[in-house]
Amino acid sequence: TLRAFRSLLGARGFFSSADTDTLEKMREESVAYQEEVTDQLWNQVRKAVEVLTQALDRADVDRGRKLLEKVPSARLYDAALTVMMRLVFLFCAEERRLLLLGDHVYDAHYSVSTLRARLREEADKVGIEILERRQDAWTRLLATFRAVYTGIDHEALRLPALGGSIFDPDRYPFLEGRTEGSS
């Protein structure tokens, strides 16, 4: 490691390397790559927010326009964006083994990674149209969001409460089908 840093940061690394191998060039490429990844993630999140907003609108129609009756469109958009931020956080945390991925109870009932895999398998078997009529994935996500916020203290599974306003279930109660101020 020391030799690598010496090679990278030494005088030869700055003055005698090919232009493509300089520290400055590598930094520029890294920044460009980060921007590309950020743009791709933003496009995916934006599309997902549109899909979620449309799904919430359909649920509102199914309930006679009572679910989102007092929810301004800007608040609905904020809620959908928050759900996507929650999912990005959970996928990253599970990938980095910061949550309980690998625990059979967590995997079966809370993990967003295993939920995603299960939904893909089911879509391949029965078609995406059938999945659009189901609601069990949404309730599982809500349970996961609440578990991250309040924690789990059960003999079969322990997860410390992480809190944070992004996972606060009372921030957007209409996502759970509740009215403002209810529990």
Side-chain angles (χ1 to χ4, degrees), residues 3-4 10 24 34 42-43 74-75 92 97 104 106 133 144 158 176:
R3 272 189 246 138
E24 183 61 25
Q34 284 178 322
W42 170 245
N43 286 331
R75 184 157 166 76
C92 290
R97 302 281 185 211
H104 71 280
Y106 181 82
R133 291 172 178 64
T144 302
R158 299 207 189 291
E176 296 182 350

Short mmCIF file of all heavy atoms in Angstrom, two decimals, residues 3-4 10 24 34 42-43 74-75 92 97 104 106 133 144 158 176:
data_model
loop_
_atom_site.label_atom_id
_atom_site.label_comp_id
_atom_site.label_asym_id
_atom_site.label_seq_id
_atom_site.Cartn_x
_atom_site.Cartn_y
_atom_site.Cartn_z
N ARG A 3 3.90 1.53 -1.14
CA ARG A 3 4.51 1.67 -2.46
C ARG A 3 3.51 2.24 -3.48
O ARG A 3 3.87 3.05 -4.33
CB ARG A 3 5.04 0.32 -2.95
CG ARG A 3 6.46 0.08 -2.49
CD ARG A 3 7.04 -1.15 -3.16
NE ARG A 3 7.23 -2.12 -2.10
CZ ARG A 3 6.96 -3.40 -2.16
NH1 ARG A 3 6.52 -3.92 -3.27
NH2 ARG A 3 7.16 -4.17 -1.14
N ALA A 4 2.26 1.80 -3.37
CA ALA A 4 1.24 2.29 -4.29
C ALA A 4 1.02 3.78 -4.11
O ALA A 4 0.95 4.53 -5.08
CB ALA A 4 -0.07 1.53 -4.08
N GLY A 10 4.12 10.34 -5.84
CA GLY A 10 5.50 10.77 -6.01
C GLY A 10 5.68 11.63 -7.25
O GLY A 10 4.79 11.78 -8.09
N GLU A 24 -4.62 13.52 -11.42
CA GLU A 24 -5.65 14.48 -11.82
C GLU A 24 -6.60 13.87 -12.85
O GLU A 24 -7.82 14.03 -12.76
CB GLU A 24 -5.02 15.76 -12.38
CG GLU A 24 -6.01 16.84 -12.76
CD GLU A 24 -6.87 17.33 -11.60
OE1 GLU A 24 -6.44 17.23 -10.43
OE2 GLU A 24 -7.99 17.80 -11.86
N GLN A 34 -19.05 9.23 -11.35
CA GLN A 34 -20.00 9.50 -10.27
C GLN A 34 -21.20 10.25 -10.80
O GLN A 34 -22.34 9.97 -10.43
CB GLN A 34 -19.35 10.30 -9.15
CG GLN A 34 -18.45 9.49 -8.26
CD GLN A 34 -17.80 10.36 -7.18
OE1 GLN A 34 -17.43 11.49 -7.42
NE2 GLN A 34 -17.67 9.78 -6.00
N TRP A 42 -30.94 8.90 -10.46
CA TRP A 42 -32.01 9.90 -10.43
C TRP A 42 -33.10 9.54 -11.44
O TRP A 42 -34.29 9.63 -11.14
CB TRP A 42 -31.47 11.30 -10.70
CG TRP A 42 -32.59 12.28 -10.90
CD1 TRP A 42 -32.89 12.96 -12.04
CD2 TRP A 42 -33.61 12.64 -9.97
NE1 TRP A 42 -34.01 13.72 -11.86
CE2 TRP A 42 -34.49 13.54 -10.59
CE3 TRP A 42 -33.87 12.26 -8.66
CZ2 TRP A 42 -35.59 14.09 -9.96
CZ3 TRP A 42 -34.98 12.82 -8.02
CH2 TRP A 42 -35.82 13.72 -8.66
N ASN A 43 -32.73 9.13 -12.66
CA ASN A 43 -33.73 8.75 -13.66
C ASN A 43 -34.56 7.56 -13.19
O ASN A 43 -35.78 7.54 -13.39
CB ASN A 43 -33.06 8.44 -15.00
CG ASN A 43 -32.59 9.69 -15.71
OD1 ASN A 43 -33.17 10.76 -15.55
ND2 ASN A 43 -31.53 9.56 -16.49
N ALA A 74 -48.21 18.27 -3.99
CA ALA A 74 -46.80 18.42 -3.62
C ALA A 74 -46.44 17.49 -2.46
O ALA A 74 -45.35 16.91 -2.43
CB ALA A 74 -46.49 19.87 -3.24
N ARG A 75 -47.36 17.32 -1.52
CA ARG A 75 -47.11 16.41 -0.38
C ARG A 75 -47.10 14.96 -0.86
O ARG A 75 -46.31 14.15 -0.38
CB ARG A 75 -48.16 16.62 0.70
CG ARG A 75 -47.95 15.79 1.95
CD ARG A 75 -48.62 16.43 3.14
NE ARG A 75 -48.73 15.54 4.26
CZ ARG A 75 -47.75 15.20 5.07
NH1 ARG A 75 -46.55 15.68 4.87
NH2 ARG A 75 -47.94 14.38 6.09
N CYS A 92 -29.01 -0.29 -0.14
CA CYS A 92 -27.59 -0.05 0.16
C CYS A 92 -27.19 -0.67 1.49
O CYS A 92 -26.14 -1.30 1.59
CB CYS A 92 -27.29 1.44 0.17
SG CYS A 92 -27.35 2.20 -1.44
N ARG A 97 -24.46 -5.22 4.29
CA ARG A 97 -24.64 -6.06 5.48
C ARG A 97 -24.79 -5.23 6.77
O ARG A 97 -24.37 -5.65 7.84
CB ARG A 97 -23.51 -7.07 5.64
CG ARG A 97 -23.32 -7.99 4.46
CD ARG A 97 -24.34 -9.08 4.51
NE ARG A 97 -24.07 -10.04 3.42
CZ ARG A 97 -25.03 -10.71 2.84
NH1 ARG A 97 -26.26 -10.55 3.21
NH2 ARG A 97 -24.75 -11.56 1.88
N HIS A 104 -32.89 -15.72 8.53
CA HIS A 104 -34.05 -16.28 7.81
C HIS A 104 -35.35 -15.53 8.11
O HIS A 104 -36.19 -15.36 7.23
CB HIS A 104 -34.19 -17.79 8.06
CG HIS A 104 -34.65 -18.14 9.43
ND1 HIS A 104 -33.80 -18.15 10.51
CD2 HIS A 104 -35.88 -18.48 9.89
CE1 HIS A 104 -34.49 -18.49 11.59
NE2 HIS A 104 -35.74 -18.69 11.25
N TYR A 106 -35.64 -12.25 8.98
CA TYR A 106 -35.54 -10.96 8.30
C TYR A 106 -35.73 -11.14 6.79
O TYR A 106 -36.48 -10.39 6.17
CB TYR A 106 -34.19 -10.30 8.60
CG TYR A 106 -34.02 -8.96 7.94
CD1 TYR A 106 -34.56 -7.81 8.51
CD2 TYR A 106 -33.33 -8.84 6.74
CE1 TYR A 106 -34.43 -6.58 7.88
CE2 TYR A 106 -33.19 -7.61 6.11
CZ TYR A 106 -33.73 -6.49 6.69
OH TYR A 106 -33.60 -5.27 6.07
N ARG A 133 -52.21 -6.32 -9.06
CA ARG A 133 -53.45 -6.40 -8.30
C ARG A 133 -53.23 -6.83 -6.85
O ARG A 133 -54.16 -6.89 -6.08
CB ARG A 133 -54.40 -7.38 -8.98
CG ARG A 133 -54.92 -6.87 -10.31
CD ARG A 133 -55.70 -7.95 -11.03
NE ARG A 133 -56.27 -7.56 -12.29
CZ ARG A 133 -55.61 -7.19 -13.37
NH1 ARG A 133 -54.32 -7.10 -13.35
NH2 ARG A 133 -56.23 -6.87 -14.49
N THR A 144 -41.39 -3.05 7.05
CA THR A 144 -39.93 -2.87 7.07
C THR A 144 -39.58 -1.44 7.45
O THR A 144 -38.69 -1.21 8.28
CB THR A 144 -39.32 -3.23 5.71
OG1 THR A 144 -39.66 -4.58 5.40
CG2 THR A 144 -37.81 -3.06 5.71
N ARG A 158 -33.88 -9.35 16.38
CA ARG A 158 -33.57 -8.10 17.08
C ARG A 158 -32.94 -7.12 16.10
O ARG A 158 -31.95 -7.41 15.45
CB ARG A 158 -32.61 -8.36 18.22
CG ARG A 158 -33.18 -9.31 19.24
CD ARG A 158 -32.60 -9.09 20.63
NE ARG A 158 -32.98 -10.12 21.57
CZ ARG A 158 -34.20 -10.31 22.05
NH1 ARG A 158 -35.17 -9.53 21.69
NH2 ARG A 158 -34.45 -11.27 22.91
N GLU A 176 -49.99 4.60 4.86
CA GLU A 176 -50.47 3.42 5.58
C GLU A 176 -51.99 3.34 5.57
O GLU A 176 -52.57 2.50 6.25
CB GLU A 176 -49.97 3.45 7.03
CG GLU A 176 -48.47 3.37 7.13
CD GLU A 176 -47.97 3.34 8.57
OE1 GLU A 176 -48.76 3.58 9.50
OE2 GLU A 176 -46.78 3.05 8.76
#
